[in-house]
Amino acid sequence: MVSIAVNKGRDNVAMLGIGAYRPQRIVSNAEVCETLDSTPEWIFERTGIHNRRWISGDETIRSIAAAAGERALKNTPIERTKIGAVILCTSSWLKLTPHGAPSVASDLGLNGVAAFDLTSGCGGFGYGLGVAADLIRAGSADYVLVIGAETMTVGLDKSDRGTAMIFGDGAGAVVVGPAEENGISPTVWGSDGENAEAIAQNIDFLAFQDRAQKMQGTDPEVEPVGQMSLRMEGPKVFRWAAVTLPRALSAALENSGVAKEDIEVFIPHQANARINELMKKNLGLADGIPMANDIENTGNTSAASIPLAMEEMLVTGKAKGGQLALLLGFGAGLSYAGQVVTLPPAPKEPSF
């Protein structure tokens, strides 16, 4: 029997550097309420959000992804020529073809490396981090740049109470590579396709195209084309999260071999401050453990939220490089992904 050659992988991997980009435009609850039937106080009470960032001017998903990746590379003590793969975690790239990662890699001076998009909604960064770690452990790449980038507001229906107050734009990135001690546990992930439509586009591409073509003929029985946008059944998602996520967090701890008493920082996806408080309480984490609250001034940035929240904690001193952190992303799919990680050093070039 002929044996297949195996590249020499590395068992120990970690996040070696982090970078982020926050759009310049700050949108307050009061501004959101100009087109939404609500109040700033009600929005904060239900979501934990005061402000969020929306792209403006010449900012695009491509530009903010590249900006976050550039900062991560500058904040990592390796030559960028060692990067062997770029993973772009996003659900808001504007084209299915070409996908975004090769263009972003080219913008970063990494043209030619393996580059692919990973779409898993708000759990995207956790999926990307797991894939990057396993690529390195398998020997398929030495270093991987993982970028979570979203421009959720491009397709946002600003009159929809289920989404308009929640989402924002932004990008965060980490460089993953070999380390003396392991800094990324095995990924705990899963999905619930039976309830996937709880977070969904309001119309698929074929139906949208068909409606647009019929509108050209001014058929009076055809509904106006309108906007392709995101819809979310908030109560249904909340119930799913309340049941599923505590189990996922417990499994992440068990797979990591780390006791919950050893966790120093909790960084959940920034979907809703109430959900995060509930998860922390149900898991039994100590009250004094710092928990990410980037949602207050950044909003829900889907696949970008965990790296953005991580960067905010490191920049402000709420967390320090080398601390043990519990991560959990969750959302569309319905899907989730979590890990126990060692935090990277605070960035020398922060996003704010």
Side-chain angles (χ1 to χ4, degrees), residues 273-289:
R274 293 193 302 159
I275 291 178
N276 292 345
E277 289 288 353
L278 183 63
M279 284 195 295
K280 182 180 178 182
K281 179 180 178 180
N282 288 346
L283 190 60
L285 294 177
D287 291 338
I289 290 179

Side-chain angles (χ1 to χ4, degrees), residues 44-123:
F44 179 70
E45 179 184 343
R46 293 302 182 96
T47 67
I49 300 172
H50 276 309
N51 303 292
R52 70 282 291 147
R53 302 286 186 117
W54 290 1
I55 59 168
S56 62
D58 59 357
E59 293 172 327
T60 65
I61 188 168
R62 178 170 175 172
S63 72
I64 69 174
E70 181 66 29
R71 284 175 174 160
L73 291 168
K74 288 182 176 179
N75 290 326
T76 305
I78 66 163
E79 295 294 329
R80 72 181 61 207
T81 54
K82 294 185 178 181
I83 300 293
V86 174
I87 303 175
L88 178 61
C89 309
T90 184
S91 297
S92 49
W93 192 261
L94 296 180
K95 292 182 178 180
L96 293 177
T97 306
H99 57 292
S103 297
V104 174
S106 178
D107 292 345
L108 294 170
L110 299 171
N111 196 46
V113 304
F116 60 93
D117 292 5
L118 190 157
T119 300
S120 188
C122 299

Side-chain angles (χ1 to χ4, degrees), residues 12-13 23 30 76 79 105 118 130 139 155 159 190 207 239 241 244 246 260 275 282 318 326:
N12 295 336
V13 296
T76 305
E79 295 294 329
L118 190 157
S159 66
R239 290 192 297 271
T244 305
K260 66 181 178 182
I275 291 178
N282 288 346
K318 298 170 187 172
L326 176 59

Side-chain angles (χ1 to χ4, degrees), residues 151-169:
T151 51
M152 301 297 292
T153 62
V154 171
L156 195 64
D157 179 352
K158 295 178 176 60
S159 66
D160 177 33
R161 288 178 60 86
T163 58
M165 67 184 73
I166 297 171
F167 289 105
D169 304 328

